[in-house]
Amino acid sequence: MAPTTTLTADQAHIRLHELTVIDVRTPGEYASGHVPGAHNIPLGHLDAALPALKTAADRGDLLIVCASGARSAEACRRLADQGITAATLTGGTTTWTQLGHDTHRQAGTRAPWAMERQVRFAAGSLVLTGLIVGQRWNPARWLSAGIAGGLVYSALTNTCGMAAVLAKLPHNQPRTTDLDDTLAALTR
C-alpha cells in the first residue's frame, strides 16, 4: 500500500506548478470553480482512471481535491490500495477559496449547482412534499421523517447517501469525451 499524505491549501499553492491535480468532484461542482490546472475525474470513475493516474503518479506528485477533503481522502485511500501515492488537499476547494487562492471556471458556461446545493434542494423538496401531502394522507409524513433521519445520519457519519444518488444523475456525469480527454492528457 502506498503512503497517503495531506497538503494544506498554502502548501499546495506553493507547489502547484509541480503537482498533477485531480478533482474528484462531480462535473457540475468542478465547473463551478476548481484549482487551476486540475483534471476532473469524478470519484465514481476513479477505478476506470487507475492506469492513467498510475502513469501520472510515475511522472510526479498527485494532489487529489474535492470540496471539503472527505472524498479526496477516500480517493487517496483507494489509490494507495493500488500502490499509487497521492496527497489530499486539507479542507478541499472550500479552504482553497477561503484563503483567497484563484479558481478557474470554463468561460461562457453555466455550471450545474454544487452537490451540497443539490442535496439541500432535494432534501427540502422531499420534506415539504411529505408535509403537504401528509395534510391529506398521513402516511406521507413518513417521507419527511425518513429524510430528516437521513440528514442526521449524514451529519453523524460525514457521508451523504443523497449526494451519492444525485451524483448518478445525467447532469452530474462527465461526458465520455471529457473523461477520455482527461485520461489521455494524464498519459501524455
Side-chain angles (χ1 to χ4, degrees):
M1 184 196 285
T4 299
T5 59
T6 60
L7 289 177
T8 66
D10 289 333
Q11 290 170 327
H13 186 260
I14 291 167
R15 295 187 54 208
L16 196 56
H17 65 282
E18 65 187 57
L19 297 169
T20 300
V21 182
I22 306 298
D23 192 320
V24 295
R25 298 176 299 160
T26 67
E29 291 174 295
Y30 175 82
S32 69
H34 55 271
V35 172
H39 300 278
N40 185 221
I41 301 176
L43 187 59
H45 295 270
L46 195 66
D47 291 339
L50 286 173
L53 291 170
K54 174 87 171 109
T55 300
D58 288 344
R59 283 195 313 266
D61 293 337
L62 290 181
L63 176 64
I64 311 298
V65 178
C66 70
S68 67
R71 285 178 281 180
S72 60
E74 178 185 339
C76 283
R77 283 190 298 275
R78 288 171 54 186
L79 291 173
D81 289 344
Q82 299 298 318
I84 300 171
T85 302
T88 185
L89 180 64
T90 304
T93 55
T94 302
T95 300
W96 180 270
T97 55
Q98 286 173 346
L99 292 175
H101 300 304
D102 287 340
T103 57
H104 286 187
R105 290 183 180 85
Q106 188 175 359
T109 60
R110 187 170 163 240
W113 289 354
M115 185 56 64
E116 181 183 341
R117 186 174 181 192
Q118 291 181 49
V119 168
R120 289 193 316 258
F121 180 78
S125 297
L126 290 170
V127 168
L128 188 58
T129 298
L131 292 174
I132 291 171
V133 173
Q135 295 293 325
R136 293 197 177 260
W137 188 57
N138 279 340
R141 293 180 182 176
W142 285 105
L143 174 63
S144 299
I147 297 299
L151 290 171
V152 169
Y153 179 79
S154 175
L156 293 173
T157 61
N158 198 26
T159 62
C160 187
M162 188 175 289
V165 171
L166 291 172
K168 295 184 186 311
L169 293 176
H171 67 274
N172 285 324
Q173 294 298 310
R175 294 185 310 230
T176 302
T177 54
D178 292 344
L179 187 57
D180 290 343
D181 290 346
T182 297
L183 298 179
L186 291 172
T187 56
R188 283 187 218 130

